[in-house]
Amino acid sequence: MADVKDVDWDAVMADSRFQSLRRKKTIFLWVLMVFSMTYYFVLPLGAAYFPHVFQIKIWGVLNVGLLFALSQFVVAWAVAFCYERRASGQFDVLAKEIVVAFHQQEPRR
Amino acid sequence: MRASRAWSSVILCVISVLVALMPNVALADATVIGGEWRALTLTVFAAVIGLTIYVTYRSASHVKSAADFYAASGSISGLQNGWAIAGDYLSAASFLGIAGLIALNGYDGFMYSVGFLVAYVTVLLVIAEPCRNIGQYTLADILAYRNDPKLSRIFGALSVITVSTFYLTAQMVGGGVLVKTLIGIDYEVSVIAVGVLMLGYVIFGGMVATTWVQIIKATLLVIASIVLVMLVWVPYGFSLPDFMADVVGDPKVQARVAALLGDSSTVMTPSELGQRFLEPGLLYKMPVDQISLAMALVFGTAGLPHILMRFFTVHDAQQARKSVLWAMAIIGGFYVLTLILGFGAAHLVGPAAISAVDAGGNMAAPLLAQYLGGGRDSFWGNFMLAFVSAVAFATIVAVVAGLVLAAASAMAHDLYVGVLRAGRQVSSGQQVAAARVATLIVGAMAILIGIAAKGQNVAVLVGLAFAVAASANFPCILLTLYWRRANTAGMVAGMVVGTLVAVGLTLVSPNLTYPLQKIAAANKVLDAEQAKRTAIEAVLQNPWPQSESLIVKARAEQVALDKAIRLAQADIKKYEGQSRSFMGLKEPLISLKNPGVISIPAGFLAAILASLWIRDERARAKWSELYVRQNTGMGISKSVSH
């Protein structure tokens, strides 16, 4: 296996496979990040500005606020699960292809 | 095996000091554990500590190189690291503190705990894998990849040491108070015991031992919580609405809400008061404070050096990802359990009884354990209390060990090897020696600060650690990893501005103690006493009692009033003759309690503007290499094999 020092990083950067990985990953991470942060910050914002909504009882004495706070756990886990599926199923595979392709090349001097 | 022999003598010393102090402790202030149960308590403590020592003993002989000491040579598996991250994160503050916050303030306490899990979404998505791909042992390794190595190491290390010291001081002081409250050992002795044990783990066992101590402690913590939750919840057939109905129907909870709301509660019925416990606003009154705190939590975790360091202990990015997933499962599960623990403690023990032992509510979980085991005079009650206390003690030791290792690595790896002896060959043996010396320095410092800060208000320091991590470390790491134009100037500006704004705003915030305000508030309570007493008496003495609920409320008000008067009198005595805060201010300059909402954008802005303003050829030239490596992990094996 070639030494990392010999890898032409600019060439990898310009490679279409790497650009495709970069595009897919960037979009996916932005979507997940914006979604999870929005969902989370609705909790303190809602508690502060819409307490009357949080007070509505839904299930026995359990109100919107409590169930919404509990749903935060489910959503955080779901985001993590979603990311894991995509990362192991797609990003890892693409990254491995790139690593193999560039390590097989003759070291450039 | 020389190390292990030295190690066992250290342990013998600690245990004999503890034993020697035991007979005296019965004379100390009232503690949670009764005098006749000391032997039992000591046995449980010895068993838990013994287990962690055995593991350190086993791992001590494996620590030969710097990679072993700082990163366990990448030998930790994703599952193990997940437990260790949970162990690092579930500090005494979150384990005992959150259960207490829920028990005393209901909904707001639970809402607070949500941020601790969501923080790991940030870590998982943008931090864990790139850091593993780029870094070696420390936070500064990541910054130094593109930016000027010397400046990166100096600023990175200073920031790591700052954040760790804030967090460390809070842990040492909190831990000392906790151990004193629980088993009555003197504050100074417990600070020294925590320090010496921790130094033993870190110096002899390095990262391997620290990791295992975290794993053991996290496992015990989860087991203890599950047992308590089972005991609370089984009678309700695991029905959340039934359990909560009992909580809101509890007069102790209703009295607490009445006390928190003060005058505005007079028009509320008992069932309304109980229901109010499940609604927001009992603890956090200012919306901007909640949002600021939430920001510091979800972005600060990704910049905590002792958490970042954990990603260097696994083999590759896939294992780093797996670590975070396990950590999220464990931490999230734990905080769901604290919902039952906190509300269970409020219902079964009662907020008044909890805050009587510790005003911050830290004793909620231990007191719940004692109650569930059979009460103050039963064997199982005291056994469970001793177990929870021992786990809390192990928690403090373990978290302190992680923090000291992070600070020591910044000192030895970044400042000594990377800056002072830059460019010269430092052998692996010398590196380990430097790391051990740095550990000793940081550890001794932690003990001294812990003793010096006795009785100080340190709760603000945990918030400050998160705020600095979120405002300085997080922007610098994020921009270095993801932004093409980020460079040395931006990194330095982000670190300096983020830290100064966060610390500066905290120093002029209402978190510090302002004697004039305290005295004024106390006088107000005393002035209003007579009118309130008359009103309460009128209800109680009424020859034609109106309703049962009014009388219950009046009694609760009476208790709350008595307590408020006592506190007010104590405050007046304590602050007499003082007029200025630690910063020499008569009153806070800002009303914001957590600086995050200002300092996080300030850190980002400084880093971005300085990067755009000043050119840096190295950072530009290294961008392709860094970006390809952080995404693909190319050449990652170089980081672990030496």
Side-chain angles (χ1 to χ4, degrees), chain B residues 30-37 367 370-371 374-378 381-382 385:
Chain B
T31 53
V32 179
I33 294 183
E36 65 276 29
W37 302 102
L367 286 173
Q370 191 182 39
Y371 175 91
R376 217 182 139 77
D377 302 315
S378 68
N382 284 285
L385 174 57

Side-chain angles (χ1 to χ4, degrees), chain A residues 10 25 63 65 83-84 92, chain B residues 107 129 278 321 325 624 631:
Chain A
D10 290 325
K25 217 170 156 177
N63 55 27
Y83 172 73
E84 203 279 333
D92 283 358
Chain B
Y107 184 80
E129 296 173 46
L278 305 186
R321 182 189 307 149
L325 293 169
S624 293
N631 276 293

Side-chain angles (χ1 to χ4, degrees), chain A residues 79-94:
Chain A
V79 166
F81 179 75
C82 198
Y83 172 73
E84 203 279 333
R85 290 299 296 270
R86 181 65 82 91
S88 311
Q90 191 182 36
F91 302 153
D92 283 358
V93 178
L94 288 172

Side-chain angles (χ1 to χ4, degrees), chain B residues 384-466:
Chain B
M384 301 241 309
L385 174 57
F387 186 70
V388 170
S389 308
V391 173
F393 181 76
T395 295
I396 298 160
V397 178
V399 172
V400 169
L403 287 164
V404 166
L405 191 53
S409 65
M411 231 183 227
H413 175 70
D414 294 327
L415 292 183
Y416 178 71
V417 178
V419 177
L420 285 179
R421 305 202 46 181
R424 275 172 287 174
Q425 194 65 39
V426 183
S427 78
S428 187
Q430 281 172 314
Q431 287 193 37
V432 179
R436 286 191 165 132
V437 171
T439 306
L440 201 62
I441 295 172
V442 179
M445 212 178 68
I447 296 175
L448 290 178
I449 294 178
I451 292 174
K454 182 183 181 179
Q456 297 295 310
N457 168 15
V458 290
V460 57
L461 288 177
V462 175
L464 196 53
F466 272 94

